[in-house]
Amino acid sequence: MSSISLTNAVLPRTSAISKGLLVTGGALFLSALAQVSIPVPGSPVPVTGQTLGALLLGTAYGASLGFATLSLYLIAGIAGAPIFTGQSHGLSHLTGATGGYLIGMVLASLVTGFLAGRKWDQKISTVIPTMLIGNAIIFSAGLIWLQHVTGQSWSWTFSKGFTPFILGEVLKMAIASTALPGLWKLVRK
């Protein structure tokens, strides 16, 4: 089974420079989506566009390029680039309440990219499970870390770190699940 991402289909010949530009552009795209932020009352975790970006980039770029992109985003933010939510930065994002979600996005990009390399992003019937798996990874890491950092009960953790995000994640998955197969149809033409 061949492993080809949407990016490889659109740009079959890429150099180290073009890959670097894709990674940098993807990290900037993710940074822009991080600025779309809605506070959740009583929760240290806001609703952001980051998960949509992580799912789209991981799937469209493939496992290695998606992972590199999300890793660059995380490293740049920790190093001081004002790219996290609210144009913030620093290690506190990794060690604080949102750290698990950030690590989960990096891992999800790797897994969704792997599945996309096996053509799971080309049909709605397989891209929906891909997005569900990606979200499960993000929220599993996020909730485990949120509970650890806050010391709150699991009930509190789910009510503040998962429940308020369900509708938004369903909308993000709908966007990704319709966009990706649609883009593949255009590429095949």
Side-chain angles (χ1 to χ4, degrees):
M1 181 178 290
S2 69
S3 177
I4 185 166
S5 68
L6 183 59
T7 302
N8 292 132
V10 173
L11 303 170
R13 295 185 181 151
T14 55
S15 65
I17 292 172
S18 60
K19 286 180 182 179
L21 291 171
L22 285 167
V23 168
T24 303
L28 291 171
F29 172 70
L30 193 56
S31 174
L33 289 177
Q35 305 318 308
V36 178
S37 177
I38 303 167
V40 175
S43 175
V45 182
V47 173
T48 70
Q50 287 170 301
T51 51
L52 173 61
L55 295 172
L56 284 172
L57 289 167
T59 308
Y61 277 13
S64 61
L65 206 56
F67 181 79
T69 301
L70 273 288
S71 296
L72 174 64
Y73 171 76
L74 189 59
I75 292 166
I78 290 169
I83 59 175
F84 293 142
T85 301
Q87 295 185 335
S88 59
H89 57 83
L91 185 59
S92 63
H93 287 275
L94 192 58
T95 60
T98 59
Y101 297 93
L102 291 168
I103 294 298
M105 285 187 271
V106 174
L107 296 174
S109 70
L110 186 63
V111 173
T112 58
F114 173 82
L115 294 172
R118 273 108 196 113
K119 301 181 180 183
W120 280 42
D121 62 332
Q122 296 183 20
K123 294 187 286 186
I124 288 180
S125 62
T126 51
V127 77
I128 291 172
T130 301
M131 297 300 113
L132 285 170
I133 290 167
N135 262 305
I137 293 167
I138 293 167
F139 279 90
S140 293
L143 291 169
I144 290 167
W145 189 251
L146 180 62
Q147 196 277 332
H148 170 75
V149 167
T150 63
Q152 296 287 341
S153 68
W154 280 106
S155 174
W156 180 91
T157 300
F158 274 88
S159 72
K160 300 300 181 187
F162 179 70
T163 308
F165 302 91
I166 294 172
L167 178 59
E169 292 308 309
V170 168
L171 292 172
K172 292 173 196 177
M173 287 191 315
I175 291 167
S177 296
T178 54
L180 291 164
L183 289 170
W184 270 107
K185 284 181 184 177
L186 287 173
V187 167
R188 285 190 194 105
K189 288 181 181 182

